[in-house]
């Protein structure tokens, strides 16, 4: 990265820099979090795998919504982006009942104001995908809100546009993934406005860190589904009896290797591109 880049923010596993007034640099590290804690052990190439996947989806979804990507750097883990005015709402689309959606349904029969049919089990496929807005809480955890609250934050017309874009992106990506043996259970989009007031897709998109990917051949509703990428890490941490407070445990080499292999497998299945080819020339995902 150029020494002129100014560090703006750290996410759990990513760094954000300013290149100039109009341009930002998003750099994905090899850090991994589980149960909301960053582990001391890195997963080699994870940042490149997620950046490559994100760039793949951005390049293939411009017909649905413009995005913030200006360039994919040749390090394979950095995206130069347009600076946007980000909406203060995360736009989650859920095709299946999991995580906070399942918890909310159990407690109330609804998810973010969407009344759902009775009798759904954990991980059930929903009758149709729903958009479930959330706000970033100070704790780092997201607070689910309903469409009325989202419309109050960004305006009713803008919220309607955001919902439509998010559903179209989900439908497109879920169909692509399903044809390759992967269920896109849910995914979170971050949208912003450019200088013209045009709605633009920002952040990362449709990666394992912003989505729940499930192996389709193991799908079995009525229980939590194994995660495509993090299941070895979770199983190892659960077996340790770790109390899920920081600092997380070191993870042994076989768990690291198994996890890396799952990230690579997800990349190769979804993109149809060998990960070696991406490392040799990251621009292959933009084709
Ligand atoms: C923006 N974040 C999240 C925090 C990270 C990422 N195109 C954009 N314009 C303005 N702001 C952002 C973006 C994007 N993407 C993204 N915060 C602001 C974030 C910390 C580290 F890598």
């Amino acid at each position: 990265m150029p020494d002129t880049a100014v560090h703006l923010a750290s996410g759990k596993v990513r760094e954000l820099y300013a290149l100039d007034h109009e341009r930002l640099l998003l750099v994905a590290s090899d850090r991994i979090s589980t149960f909301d804690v960053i582990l001391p052990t890195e997963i080699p190439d994870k940042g490149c795998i997620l950046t490559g996947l994100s760039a793949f989806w951005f390049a293939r979804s411009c017909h649905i919504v413009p995005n913030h990507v200006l360039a994919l750097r040749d390090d394979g883990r950095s995206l130069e982006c347009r600076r946007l005015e980000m909406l203060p709402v995360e736009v989650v689309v859920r095709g299946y009942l999991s995580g906070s959606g399942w918890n909310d349904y159990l407690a109330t029969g609804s998810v973010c104001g969407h009344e759902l049919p009775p009798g759904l089990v954990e991980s059930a496929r929903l009758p149709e995908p729903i958009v479930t807005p959330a706000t970033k809480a100070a704790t780092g955890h997201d607070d689910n809100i309903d469409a009325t609250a989202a419309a109050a934050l960004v305006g009713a017309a803008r919220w309607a546009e955001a919902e439509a874009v998010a559903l179209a992106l989900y439908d497109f990506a879920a169909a692509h993934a399903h044809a390759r043996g992967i269920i896109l259970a849910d995914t979170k989009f971050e949208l912003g406005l450019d200088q013209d007031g045009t709605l633009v897709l920002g952040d990362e998109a449709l990666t394992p860190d912003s989505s729940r990917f499930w192996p389709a051949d193991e799908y079995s509703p009525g229980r939590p589904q194994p995660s495509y990428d993090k299941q070895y890490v979770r199983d190892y941490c659960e077996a340790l009896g770790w109390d899920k407070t920081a600092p997380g445990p070191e993870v042994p080499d076989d768990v690291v290797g198994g996890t890396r292999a799952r990230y690579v497998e997800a990349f190769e299945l979804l993109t149809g591109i060998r990960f070696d080819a991406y490392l040799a020339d990251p621009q292959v995902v933009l084709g």
Side-chain angles (χ1 to χ4, degrees):
M1 126 203 16
D3 53 20
T4 51
V6 172
H7 186 247
L8 289 185
S10 293
K12 273 207 211 87
V13 302
R14 296 178 305 157
E15 304 295 333
L16 185 65
Y17 299 86
L19 294 172
D20 55 41
H21 270 289
E22 287 84 38
R23 296 182 310 143
L24 301 176
L25 191 67
L26 267 172
V27 183
S29 73
D30 291 340
R31 298 194 292 274
I32 185 168
S33 72
T34 189
F35 305 112
D36 272 330
V37 173
I38 301 160
L39 300 183
T41 313
E42 297 193 328
I43 306 299
D45 297 320
K46 172 174 176 281
C48 287
I49 295 164
L50 268 62
T51 298
L53 256 181
S54 208
F56 171 86
W57 291 115
F58 279 129
R60 279 159 187 78
S61 61
C62 313
H63 62 292
I64 299 172
V65 62
N67 62 67
H68 69 160
V69 175
L70 294 169
L72 169 61
R73 290 210 169 166
D74 282 330
D75 65 4
R77 66 170 70 244
S78 313
L79 283 176
E80 297 179 14
C81 315
R82 289 189 279 160
R83 203 188 276 255
L84 306 173
E85 186 188 326
M86 300 306 291
L87 301 185
V89 177
E90 301 181 339
V91 187
V92 179
V93 184
R94 299 171 189 272
Y96 293 75
L97 200 47
S98 181
S100 68
W102 167 242
N103 289 330
D104 292 351
Y105 173 75
L106 267 188
T108 70
S110 292
V111 183
C112 298
H114 297 273
E115 208 178 295
L116 297 175
L120 294 178
V121 297
E122 185 170 14
S123 310
R125 186 177 187 182
L126 296 175
E128 58 192 358
I130 58 173
V131 178
T132 64
T135 55
K136 274 176 236 177
T139 62
H141 246 244
D142 304 333
D143 282 336
N144 285 346
I145 59 175
D146 65 14
T148 305
L153 285 168
V154 304
R158 190 65 80 180
W159 179 247
E161 189 185 4
E163 277 191 324
V165 157
L167 281 172
L169 287 168
Y170 176 85
D171 285 345
F172 166 72
H176 179 98
H178 200 262
R180 289 154 182 81
I182 295 177
I183 292 172
L184 175 61
D186 54 43
T187 193
K188 175 185 77 178
F189 298 110
E190 305 246 9
L191 294 158
L193 305 180
D194 70 9
Q195 295 210 311
D196 303 334
T198 300
L199 193 66
V200 176
L201 181 61
D203 204 79
E204 63 180 328
L206 298 158
T207 70
D209 278 7
S210 65
S211 316
R212 282 190 181 86
F213 290 128
W214 296 337
D217 62 357
E218 293 172 48
Y219 176 60
S220 148
R223 55 157 172 86
Q225 301 305 292
S227 153
Y228 204 96
D229 46 300
K230 288 186 181 174
Q231 202 55 46
Y232 292 131
V233 169
R234 288 186 188 154
D235 290 348
Y236 175 79
C237 289
E238 293 280 17
L240 270 186
W242 166 51
D243 66 1
K244 295 169 192 174
T245 63
E250 299 267 7
V251 167
D253 286 352
D254 61 319
V255 175
V256 169
T259 302
R260 181 185 178 282
R262 293 291 282 181
Y263 278 106
V264 169
E265 184 175 272
F267 175 95
E268 292 184 339
L269 283 173
L270 289 169
T271 67
I273 297 167
R274 291 287 309 274
F275 182 60
D276 283 349
Y278 178 73
L279 285 180
D281 176 15
Q283 311 304 319
V284 291
V285 291
L286 303 179

